[in-house]
Amino acid sequence: MSAEGSRRVVIAALAGNVAIAACKFGAAILSGSTATLAEAVHSVADSGNQALLLLGIFLAAKPATKRYPFGRASELYFWPFVVALVLFSLGGAFAIVEGVRHLIDGAEPIVQIDREVLGVHLHFSSNVVNYAVLGTSFFFEAMSFRVAFGEFRKAANGQPLLRAFLDARDPTVPLVVAEDTTALLGLGLALASVGLRSATGMSLWDPLGSVLIGVLLSAVAILLAWVTHGLLIGKSVTEEDRARVLEIARGVDDVERVTQLLAVHLGPDAVVLALKIAFTPGTTVERVEDLTNEMERRLRAELPRMKKIFIEVDSKGDGRGVE
C-alpha cells in the first residue's frame, strides 16, 4: 500500500470527523444540550486520532540517521497503537461510563426548544436535533468509509478481506476502515436508541444505546491494539514474500541451499532480511562475493521493501525461516 494512498485515506477521515464535529457543535448551540456538546468534543477527539496517524506518516518518511540507522518506519506502527488506546479509553470507556451513569440517574427528557436565530423563530424538539446530527454524521462517515474501503480493497489484491486485515503490514488504512465501520454501526445503534425512546417513551433506550456503542468501540479498539502490537514487536514478512526470497536466492549460480532466513518488518515498506547461504564447495571467496552482490541486486529489484539485506556464508545455519 503506497504512503500516498494511506495519506489520502487519513485526510478524508480527518475531513469527515471535522465536519461531524462542526455539525454537533451547531446542534449543541441550537439545543443547548450539554450531552450534544460532549458528543462534539468526542468528535474532536476522533479528529485527533487522524492527526496522530498523519504524524506517524510524516515521521516515518524521515531518512535514516546516526541515531536511527534503520530509519523511522516503525512510527507507522507506534501511532496506530496509540490510536487504538485512545479509541478504547476516550471512545469505548467514556460511552460505557456515561451510559451507566444515565441508567442510574435517569436520561435527559425530550424537551421542546424555542430559539431565535438571526431573527428567525425556531421551534423543535431535542429529538429533531438528534436525528439531524446523527443523519448528517452518518453521511460524512459513509463518505470517509468509501474512500478508505476502496484503498483497502486495492491493497488486499483479491485476498479475503478478513485475512487482508489481519495480515496487513501497513495498519493505517485497515485502522481507518475499522474505525469508520465502527462509527457507522455506532450511529446505527444511536439512531435506533433515539427512535425507540421516542416511540416507547422509555428513557432507558438512550443510555442503553450508549453502553452498546461503548462495548462495540472497546472491542474494536482491543482488536486494533492486538494487530498493531504484533507489528510493533517484529512481525515477519508474508508467506508469499518468504517464498519469493527463497526462490530468488536459490536461483543464483553456485547456491547449494539456504540454511537460514529471517525477515522482519520495521515498517510497511521497510524489511530487514538476513540470509545464511551454503555455496557449492570449492567456490572461491571472490566468486562468493560476486554471487552475494548478485543475490542482493535481484532481491532489491523484485522486492524493493527489503531495505536492509545481510547475507552470510554458512553451510549449517539452523533452518529457521526455511521451508
Side-chain angles (χ1 to χ4, degrees), residues 1 6-7 9-10 53 57 76 80 170-177 268:
M1 190 177 300
S6 296
R7 188 181 294 106
V9 168
V10 175
L53 293 179
I57 292 171
L76 288 173
D170 182 352
T172 306
V173 173
L175 189 150
V176 174
V177 170

Side-chain angles (χ1 to χ4, degrees), residues 1 14 19 27 43-44 46 55 58 65 70 77 83 86 111 150 159 190 222-223 237 253 267 269 278 282 297 302:
M1 190 177 300
L14 176 60
S43 291
V44 171
D46 285 344
L55 176 63
F58 170 75
T65 63
F70 288 98
Y77 294 160
V83 166
V86 171
V111 296
Q159 292 184 82
I222 291 169
L223 174 63
V237 295
D253 292 342
D269 296 312
R297 187 193 66 76
E302 295 202 33

Side-chain angles (χ1 to χ4, degrees), residues 226-242:
W226 177 73
V227 170
T228 51
H229 163 262
L231 294 167
L232 272 173
I233 64 174
K235 206 168 192 176
S236 67
V237 295
T238 62
E239 292 298 324
E240 293 80 6
D241 278 358
R242 183 180 289 107

Side-chain angles (χ1 to χ4, degrees), residues 18-256:
V18 168
I20 291 167
C23 290
K24 288 178 178 177
F25 273 118
I29 292 169
L30 285 173
S31 66
S33 168
T34 55
T36 306
L37 181 61
E39 270 300 301
V41 174
H42 183 213
S43 291
V44 171
D46 285 344
S47 302
N49 282 345
Q50 312 309 324
L52 289 176
L53 293 179
L54 284 175
L55 176 63
I57 292 171
F58 170 75
L59 293 175
K62 288 184 171 293
T65 63
K66 215 171 169 184
R67 187 175 184 182
Y68 302 105
F70 288 98
R72 300 180 64 172
S74 295
E75 300 277 2
L76 288 173
Y77 294 160
F78 173 75
W79 293 106
F81 185 75
V82 172
V83 166
L85 297 180
V86 171
L87 187 64
F88 177 80
S89 57
L90 294 185
F94 176 81
I96 292 171
V97 169
E98 282 296 296
V100 170
R101 185 174 69 83
H102 281 94
L103 280 171
I104 295 171
D105 297 341
E108 294 179 4
I110 299 172
V111 296
Q112 297 298 315
I113 300 166
D114 284 288
R115 294 267 175 179
E116 188 168 311
V117 180
L118 300 176
V120 179
H121 183 76
L122 301 175
H123 178 79
F124 52 88
S125 75
S126 56
N127 255 2
V128 171
V129 176
N130 287 330
Y131 286 130
V133 170
L134 292 173
T136 305
S137 299
F138 196 93
F139 171 77
F140 284 119
E141 286 289 0
M143 295 294 288
S144 171
F145 174 82
R146 184 171 176 270
V147 174
F149 190 69
E151 193 69 28
F152 179 58
R153 283 190 61 135
K154 193 191 305 178
N157 198 26
Q159 292 184 82
L161 295 182
L162 180 59
R163 182 189 169 192
F165 178 83
L166 296 176
D167 285 350
R169 293 327 191 248
D170 182 352
T172 306
V173 173
L175 189 150
V176 174
V177 170
E179 205 175 39
D180 286 348
T181 302
T182 307
L184 290 171
L185 291 173
L187 287 167
L189 286 171
L191 281 167
S193 64
V194 169
L196 286 169
R197 180 186 178 187
S198 179
T200 64
M202 299 173 63
S203 61
L204 68 87
W205 288 111
D206 203 7
L208 184 60
S210 180
V211 171
L212 291 175
I213 291 168
V215 170
L216 175 65
L217 286 171
S218 298
V220 172
I222 291 169
L223 174 63
L224 292 173
W226 177 73
V227 170
T228 51
H229 163 262
L231 294 167
L232 272 173
I233 64 174
K235 206 168 192 176
S236 67
V237 295
T238 62
E239 292 298 324
E240 293 80 6
D241 278 358
R242 183 180 289 107
R244 189 66 190 126
V245 167
L246 288 171
E247 184 181 352
I248 292 169
R250 289 165 177 165
V252 174
D253 292 342
D254 292 327
V255 170
E256 199 170 66

